[in-house]
Amino acid sequence: MNTLESMFDWLLATTLRASVLALAILALQLLLRRWLPPQWRHSLWMPLLLVLALPVLPAVPFGLFPTKAEANATAAPVAPASALEFGTAAAAEPPVAATPRTNLPGVNPLAVLWLSGTVAVLAIGLASYRRNMRRVIKGAVRVDDSLRISLTAAAREVGLRRKPLVIVSTNVDSPAVTGLVRPSLLLPAGFPAGFNEAEARMILLHEFTHLKRLDLPVNWLTCVFQAMHWFNPILWFAFARMRADRESACDAQVLSLNHDDRRSDYGHALLKLQSATPQLGLNLGFVGIFERNAELKTRIREISAHRKAHPAWRAGGVAMIGTLTIFGATKAEEPEKKEAPAVPRVIVNQPPVNPGTAYIMAKLNKIVIPLINFEDASLEEAIDFVRLRSKELDTAEKDPAKKGVNFVIRKPRPGVAGTPDPGAAKLSLELKNATMLKVLSEIAGKTGTRFKIDEFAVTFVPADEQDNFVVGPLPAPPKFEGKAAEAGSKIIIPIVDFEDTSLKEAVDFLNLRARELSKGEPVFPVVLDPKADGATRIKELRLRNVPLVVALKYVAESTKTVITANDSEIRITKP
């Protein structure tokens, strides 16, 4: 659904921009209606079609529409490092009395409704077009030789290089042109019966002028836009006005073909066509000389008052179209930010690059979560959700055991007064299509925590616990060259899930799992030194698919112990 939601977001921004532009065009036409020639009145609608067609708008210093802030801004490049720390000074939000809930990403019903409506409008229009064309072809009759001569003369006068296919049919009520790849001229059977020679000539000139002006492809494009913006009444009204202005512009161009005054013949031809019944239905793709009875009075009045446009209007019209284009088809450049955003704050250490850290950092930047919607959720609930989604969305990783990202939540040290418990904070958060790095930064900001990325996990701790949190890579266990450490690095523990667990219980669990997962390889015991307090509690530690020595490293950090190793054992002892 990412593509559909992206299209829907673009469409909403476009329909708002186009609506404002359409109102500006209508206001400009109303203001200048007494002086604005019909050709330029219709040309003012071209910037609207440009705005509706542009997928990306150029940014200029003088743009009038502000740049929309992206919800999922790309993270700034950071220097490679063994570990990264992210934090915030923001206080945790006060708890809200509500049931904790975490929403899974779903389908945007409005996007589905929009797409369904667009398909329905297009389907109805195309069905109507096909039905009418079948009726026209079914009632087709032979074209008279005299009519062919008149068609050739009219096409030559308009300057049409390629004559359209001519269909004379008993099922055509009023002259029209249609088609896209191969335009067709539709004429009623018996035409030009009922019209004198001059009136018939004006009708043919009008239809051929539509082809000369490329009104047919523009009409098809307008129909597609109208279907896409079926929910916007402002644009439907704008498209109706654009069609009316198109007919007036075509009338003016026909009357300007030569110096003879043919206004009377043209007006009489329109009045005789008034009795013709327009075709019913949503007639996609038809452009005719007589489309709406409501516009007849206006067209007759403009024909009777027709004068060739003053040459000065060329400069004025170009200036107005250029202004409208800049108004609607550009956006303002984003102002330069004087201060860097406070969240996330990134502290980068510069020891040699650690491939494991870079591997996890790449995942955090590449994995995009479609929807985050937390309401009164705890830090543990939020992290569990992110952990689950990271595994589901990690499509680049082919090894199932390595999918996703490990997380650790470090509780406050026992006996440290005034240290806030990150697990007690509640957060509400809503994001769309956000990278994991963005999501984690927002979670840290709303829970008063900070987090670090090292080679096997992302660790969250209270923001003010500086002394039990290492910035940079965790120190490797000393003297890990022995056989015990080498064997421990080959044993992969699928799940480490400790919550309020004693150090002794953790050591017993890891020894048991190491024996079960050794696969016939030598197993060296993990020994708890009598000097170490086996009752020390591990508040919370959750890891997935980590070597035994790495799991021991996190256990040692949680209990303020150290690890040593030799050729016979791995020992946990006091520092």
Side-chain angles (χ1 to χ4, degrees), residues 162-196:
R162 182 185 178 189
K163 286 195 301 182
L165 173 67
V166 179
I167 302 177
V168 179
S169 174
T170 56
N171 291 324
V172 173
D173 300 310
S174 177
V177 288
T178 189
L180 183 61
V181 178
R182 178 68 192 277
S184 301
L185 171 63
L186 309 181
L187 294 173
F191 183 87
F195 301 93
N196 61 38

Side-chain angles (χ1 to χ4, degrees), residues 10-11 13-29 40-55 57 65 218 221-226 228-229 232-243 245 320-330:
W10 165 79
L11 184 99
T14 302
T15 202
L16 176 61
R17 185 183 300 270
S19 297
V20 174
L21 182 60
L23 293 175
I25 294 171
L26 290 169
L28 190 61
Q29 288 184 343
W40 288 107
R41 191 167 71 240
H42 179 251
S43 297
L44 290 182
W45 293 108
M46 295 304 104
L48 178 66
L49 298 181
L50 179 64
V51 168
L52 293 172
L54 280 179
L57 300 175
F65 285 93
V218 172
L221 186 63
T222 303
C223 291
V224 172
F225 288 150
Q226 190 163 355
M228 292 176 63
H229 298 266
N232 189 335
I234 295 177
L235 291 185
W236 276 66
F237 179 76
F239 292 140
R241 291 307 317 156
M242 182 164 52
R243 285 190 289 269
D245 291 338
M320 286 189 293
I321 292 173
T323 301
L324 290 170
T325 301
I326 293 174
F327 176 78
T330 61

